């Protein structure tokens, strides 16, 4: 599975990837795929897709999700994103797009594939990278959070002037390991229909991100 991680990320995360905890995680995840063939999402070749599309040298923004969509045909390795053929969009993604349109005055997304964001340096990272069909949160006990926390710690330590978008309580738990003196950390409610009206709508995170990137001399994101 680790072979899917680009060499740049393998070098960046070398200490974590050689750890006992990561080896144990890999074994648990592989066993999950073996025990439930065709029922673990995304497919094995897409587990590390967020890293494949976003080079650590180009990293500008991190958007943290929870775990992949548990609906067949939706998850493809990027937080909040879905395959281009999926319509209507999942509710959370619909709300993300509503805020994007309201904040920036753009037209609605033509589909829910956020690959163009990833290719501009947006790491669309879930805290848990796999899930079983129809069972949200089913892989929270495999050890993914240890790995993704290590990723966030490493980015915080080694990079500078990265924007972290923490949507929802779970993402905000990682705020403590991010150096807010070196980075811009923006928090709000989750875009889920259960919480979007409690602070996600109107957070203006898209425009705030681009304003900051412009101020530090980085190319803004074409959202």
């Amino acid at each position: 599975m680790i072979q899917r991680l680009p060499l740049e990320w393998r070098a960046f995360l070398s200490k974590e990837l050689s750890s006992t905890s990561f080896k144990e995680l890999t074994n648990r995840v592989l066993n999950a795929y073996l025990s439930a063939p065709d029922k673990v999402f995304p497919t094995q070749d897409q587990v590390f897709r967020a890293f494949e599309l976003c080079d650590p040298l180009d990293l500008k923004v991190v958007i943290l999700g929870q775990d992949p969509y548990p609906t067949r045909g939706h998850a493809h390795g990027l937080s909040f994103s879905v395959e281009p053929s999926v319509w209507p969009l999942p509710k959370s993604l619909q709300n993300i797009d509503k805020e994007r349109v309201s904040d920036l005055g753009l037209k609605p997304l033509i589909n829910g594939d956020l690959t163009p964001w990833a290719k501009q340096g947006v790491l669309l990272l879930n805290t848990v990278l796999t899930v079983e069909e129809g069972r949200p949160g089913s892989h929270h006990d495999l050890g993914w959070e240890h790995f993704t926390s290590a990723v966030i710690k490493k980015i915080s330590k080694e990079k500078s002037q990265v924007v972290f978008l923490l949507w929802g309580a779970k993402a905000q738990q990682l705020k403590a390991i991010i150096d807010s003196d070196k980075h811009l950390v923006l928090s709000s409610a989750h875009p889920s229909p259960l919480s979007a009206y409690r602070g996600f709508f109107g957070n203006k995170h898209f425009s705030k991100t681009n304003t900051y990137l412009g101020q530090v001399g980085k190319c803004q994101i074409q959202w």
Side-chain angles (χ1 to χ4, degrees):
M1 191 172 66
I2 191 176
Q3 289 82 1
R4 299 298 306 189
L5 266 175
L7 291 175
E8 295 84 358
W9 280 106
R10 283 194 236 174
F12 189 72
L13 300 171
S14 58
K15 183 177 179 180
E16 174 62 22
L17 298 179
S18 62
S19 68
T20 300
S21 63
F22 184 78
K23 293 173 184 175
E24 292 173 347
L25 165 65
T26 300
N27 288 334
R28 293 189 196 104
V29 173
L30 291 175
N31 286 334
Y33 278 102
L34 288 172
S35 62
D38 301 322
K39 290 190 176 182
V40 175
F41 307 142
T43 56
Q44 283 193 55
D45 63 322
Q46 293 182 319
V47 171
F48 291 120
R49 191 159 178 262
F51 298 95
E52 293 180 57
L53 294 174
C54 180
D55 190 299
L57 293 176
D58 300 327
L59 179 63
K60 300 174 187 171
V61 182
V62 178
I63 298 180
L64 284 171
Q66 295 181 13
D67 56 356
Y69 295 115
T71 304
R72 183 173 295 274
H74 283 203
H76 66 153
L78 305 176
S79 63
F80 296 108
S81 180
V82 291
E83 295 281 7
S85 59
V86 174
W87 199 267
L89 302 180
K91 297 293 187 181
S92 291
L93 185 51
Q94 288 185 34
N95 288 338
I96 289 170
D97 194 32
K98 286 179 183 177
E99 176 58 24
R100 167 186 165 274
V101 169
S102 172
D103 185 13
L104 301 175
L106 301 174
K107 293 181 179 179
L109 293 168
I110 59 173
N111 62 56
D113 181 6
L114 304 182
T115 297
W117 295 7
K119 289 183 176 180
Q120 296 176 74
V122 180
L123 183 64
L124 294 160
L125 182 66
N126 282 313
T127 53
V128 174
L129 302 189
T130 55
V131 71
E132 188 172 330
E133 182 175 12
R135 297 181 60 213
S138 52
H139 284 186
H140 277 261
D141 60 349
L142 296 187
W144 276 122
E145 288 98 336
H146 186 282
F147 169 71
T148 50
S149 292
V151 172
I152 297 302
K153 284 182 182 178
K154 185 70 172 178
I155 292 171
S156 177
K157 181 180 179 181
E158 301 295 337
K159 303 289 290 183
S160 61
Q161 300 172 331
V162 173
V163 182
F164 291 85
L165 302 183
L166 308 181
W167 296 338
K170 285 187 176 293
Q172 289 169 30
Q173 289 174 359
L174 296 177
K175 188 173 184 177
I177 63 174
I178 302 170
D179 186 346
S180 59
D181 292 330
K182 293 172 58 182
H183 308 284
L184 177 64
V185 183
L186 299 175
S187 303
S188 79
H190 193 274
S192 160
L194 299 175
S195 56
Y197 287 95
R198 297 202 297 267
F200 179 78
F201 290 134
N203 67 20
K204 297 189 180 298
H205 281 187
F206 297 105
S207 60
K208 289 177 180 178
T209 294
N210 275 355
T211 296
Y212 176 79
L213 292 176
Q215 289 172 344
V216 298
K218 295 184 179 182
C219 291
Q220 297 180 334
I221 306 299
Q222 300 300 311
W223 299 106

